[in-house]
Amino acid sequence: MNSHEISLTVNGKTRRSEVEPRVLLVHHLRDGLGVTSPHVGCDTGQCGACTVLIDGRAVKSCTVFAVQADGSEIVTVDGLTGENGGLHPLQKSFKEKHGLQCGYCTPGMILSAHDLLEKTPDPSEEEIRSHLKGNFCRCTGYQNIVEAVRHAAEELSERDAAMEVAR
Amino acid sequence: MTQTHGGTGRYFGQEVKRREDLRHLTGRGRFTDDLSPAGTLHAAVLRSPHAHARIGSVEAEAARKMPGVVAVFTGADLKDRVAPLPPSWLLPGMSVPEHPALAYETVRFVGDGVAVVVAENRYAARDALDLIQVGYEPLPAVLGAEEAAKPGASELHKNVPGNVAFVFPARGGNYKRAAKKADVLVRQRLVNQRVVPNALETRTVLAEYDPGTEHLTVHTSTQGPHNIKRLTAGILRFPEHRLRVVAPDVGGGFGSKLHLYPEEVLCAFLARELERPVKWTESRSESFLATNHGRDHVQNVEVAANRDGTITGVKATVYANLGAYLSGMGPGVPSVNFAMMVSGTYRISNIDVKVYGVLTNTPRVDTYRGAGRPEATYLIERAVDLVARKLVMDPAEVRRKNFIPKDAFPYKAPNSAFAYDSGDYGPNLEKALEMVGYADLRQRQQELRQEGRYLGIGIASYTEFTGIGPGWVLNMAGFEYGGWEYARVVVHPTGAVTIYTGSADHGQGHATSYAQIAADALGLSMEDVEVVEGDTARVQFGNGTFNSRSMPVGGVAIKICCDKIVAKARRIAAHALNARKADVVYDEGEFRMGDASGALGKAARTALKTRRTIVGTAVRAVSGLDLPRAETSGGAVSWAEVARLAHFVSDYPSGLEPGLDEKTFYQPRGMTFPFGTYVAVVEVDAGTGGISFERFVAVDDCGPVINPLLARGQVHGGIAQGIGQALLEGAEYDEAGRPVTDSFWNYAMPRAGHLPRFETAHTVTPSPVNPLGVKGIGEAGTIAAPPAVVNAVVDALSPFGVTHLDMPVTPEKVWRAIKDARREEAPKNGGGA
């Protein structure tokens, strides 16, 4: 099968590779580039474990061919950072609120929540639950995930307010 | 919360945050599919599209010739080289059908493996499956357990006549007489539907063979690496001591990753055969076919009661679907785990249960979170509500009346082989009722009915057994695992500690809760304690994680082992302090002289000192050097100093080996029985059948709680799965046995928006069977949530005369029930509970 050369910027590093046109982005990230944090939980685009940020938007990387992502900027959970290069408030909140158990859905869940907080900085519980409908978790019953997202939203808004004052 | 057991240290009972989290939050988790050694080949399994068929020819040449394909093996290629998979639970008189790793004469369910392809990458392996031609001759299929057990039904296995692998009776008292004398008899047919465990990480196996050392390593997403090792070695006739099984990060299991699967055997076989790493990663759709399912009972129940609400007897005839082959604990789940637990939290004197374990043309059924106790609890908790309804009594009152009283423990049900260790059900129920505001709710329910709104309140009380053991009881019941758990505690010369345990975490947070237990027992900071599990090369023995046994068995093993370490360390410290062991106290990292300064103590210290002086003088005379002195200033010696002395000092207490390294095989003397009460409050929309939650309250009692944060997390997850079974989930098949639910498109899993906010609380009744007093909590939610939710929905529908609906209680089912009732008569306001 014909291969195509593509270029992806993954967590700030530009990587060139040859891929078959049928290879899914998630498989290319995992098997081709060795970035294994996007997980595969289904084969129908339902579970959200493979969610990554493509040019800032949360996308299920099993619904995109690697060649379609050519030239784009991809952020996985490995690439998230908070202030001074520490943990992102979402990463901190998930630990604080026990928002993960087996950890399999966690990278996708965090990036999906990231997407929500970009668009809706102060979401209600209902908005969070509604937004996370594309991501399955079989361990936590979602309650602590919802709490973690709420908590992160508060942290982020406090941070923004502090930055506002500093300006 | 005040702790009565095990709570002497700094960590027991504290909401310690998990040490496991950081790697998952930063993308550094390592699940089996994340591992790809150089040269890894990918395996794909060709699966039967027929529920039941004879295999004619299998043409694999075209697939073998495909670019990238390394090998293809069919069932016929393997049958003389790979022994069948054995079940781990052998009930008396049970027929055991042959379970080959790949089918070679007959396929028995849609998904039964027929051939395996190994190729250079996963895409090529999948492509090659399409080129294998199998000539099937379809046979009649049987899908339901009742149907399969009927005379004349198509048979799956030659040595299982009538498809009934076993008939398991569990009787006590005299049900017939109780029924004759009872004021009321309540009958119901209950279907506990087949559900799919659906851990988010599908099963994955990576096997590597090193021809240089003749060692075989299998990484697999499992809950029980040691048993996978033992069974795989037996099946492949491979030396067990050269086989290593590793469970790295495991993305959930819920019982479905506990037992040996054909793919583990296949990958191990292929890696040895091809001398290259072989990986198999299950797709989600494949997981619906190839990973074990749970539940699947048809229960015909009859309950005898007196007019005052006293339940005098329960009878149940149950058809349990085991699937096409017997898997690990498959036979034990509906027999021992279910049949001996049907009386739940109630003192019922006359019990008559008969379970038919039936083979059908469906995927295997085995342990799924709770394994047998959810089925038992659902049966009795629905039955209690039916009794209440029949007698026009409050369902809470019927429960109160029949609870096993506090002073009756240890309590042995008349049909059971084992005794409940402890319980105090009344206060637990009252706490749940108080949290939900029960009396007011019943009042509001009446008022809302006047407005045509249908509120339902569902109560479910449960008990179950956790910490499965002791071994001799398990073995008597036909179960071949040990009831023990293994622990080893190694103190490094620096004083840091590594704990090795035979359990296997798959999301529960063992590294955190075990470190809490160990740090308390050793008087250390948690940071000084590392926990290792899930690798048979690092941990020599183990039974794995299931049945909520990790804390009451694995945790207790660690505690016992740590106590042994402290005892030895005290001897070493005493020697360094020139004191008797009895005079030395250990507290938070420091050994020091106690207040035992009596004459005897003094004499002993003097004798020890004299001996040291004599030895010291002798050494000086020969070498001109002084003996190294322990840092014993102020009559105290630190943990780290004792650790150093244990390894490096020549002057050692006589009769003691150097080192601080102890191990334990802890065999619990009995099982533990956590319990609790859940209350679900729902509102049913009579126009659409839609169900919305108003409240969900869970009050559990698992004895003293080691880490309330983690315990709550377990309860939440369990409730989510329980609500999933009650309202959404169910594996379904068409008449030919093809799955209608074969992906997340058509199998309804609970999403964030489906679930309510859970309100949780605990009562604390310690177990007398272990020194920590702890019981397990992992399965509680899955056990109690289904009856609580179904009782609530049926309660909401009581004005329509609805007395029962089978799970999943979908809006469509509810809507039809209302419509059917309305066709018969207009609803009577104010009826029901």
Side-chain angles (χ1 to χ4, degrees), chain B residues 176-191:
Chain B
K176 241 182 211 165
R177 198 174 57 201
K180 204 174 280 173
K181 286 170 64 184
D183 294 329
V184 289
L185 288 177
V186 175
R187 283 190 199 91
Q188 185 62 50
R189 180 179 193 269
L190 302 166
V191 177

Side-chain angles (χ1 to χ4, degrees), chain A residues 7-20:
Chain A
S7 166
L8 301 175
T9 304
V10 182
N11 298 325
K13 279 186 203 144
T14 303
R15 319 264 305 255
R16 282 174 199 290
S17 34
E18 295 270 328
V19 290
E20 284 182 30

Side-chain angles (χ1 to χ4, degrees), chain B residues 35-84:
Chain B
L35 312 171
S36 287
T40 296
L41 298 171
H42 290 260
V45 177
L46 181 70
R47 300 191 179 279
S48 166
H50 297 281
H52 200 187
R54 204 160 286 127
I55 301 171
S57 59
V58 183
E59 285 300 327
E61 279 318 298
R64 285 193 177 103
K65 284 183 190 141
M66 228 188 93
V69 170
V70 174
V72 179
F73 288 89
T74 67
D77 298 333
L78 296 188
K79 79 178 170 70
D80 297 325
R81 305 182 62 189
V82 176

Side-chain angles (χ1 to χ4, degrees), chain B residues 133-203:
Chain B
Q133 301 284 327
V134 184
Y136 292 106
E137 300 160 37
L139 297 166
V142 282
L143 307 172
E146 274 178 310
E147 170 204 348
K150 278 186 185 141
S154 167
E155 285 182 356
L156 273 78
H157 299 274
K158 284 189 196 95
N159 68 334
V160 188
N163 297 319
V164 177
F166 63 82
V167 182
F168 186 86
R171 291 196 193 95
N174 186 336
Y175 179 79
K176 241 182 211 165
R177 198 174 57 201
K180 204 174 280 173
K181 286 170 64 184
D183 294 329
V184 289
L185 288 177
V186 175
R187 283 190 199 91
Q188 185 62 50
R189 180 179 193 269
L190 302 166
V191 177
N192 209 298
Q193 86 274 31
R194 174 182 288 242
V195 290
V196 183
N198 274 324
L200 251 282
E201 179 211 26
T202 55
R203 284 186 302 116

Side-chain angles (χ1 to χ4, degrees), chain B residues 329-390:
Chain B
M329 295 187 201
V333 171
S335 55
V336 175
N337 285 18
F338 163 81
M340 293 187 177
M341 293 302 293
V342 295
S343 53
T345 52
Y346 310 107
R347 182 149 68 177
I348 302 174
S349 312
N350 306 289
I351 303 175
D352 182 359
V353 183
K354 196 175 197 182
V355 181
Y356 294 87
V358 188
L359 293 157
T360 68
N361 296 109
T362 58
R364 311 186 306 176
V365 179
D366 203 324
T367 47
Y368 171 48
R369 206 169 190 171
R373 283 89 70 188
E375 297 91 312
T377 305
Y378 185 73
L379 179 154
I380 195 68
E381 289 304 291
R382 283 294 300 124
V384 167
D385 262 36
L386 288 164
V387 167
R389 178 78 163 264
K390 182 116 180 178

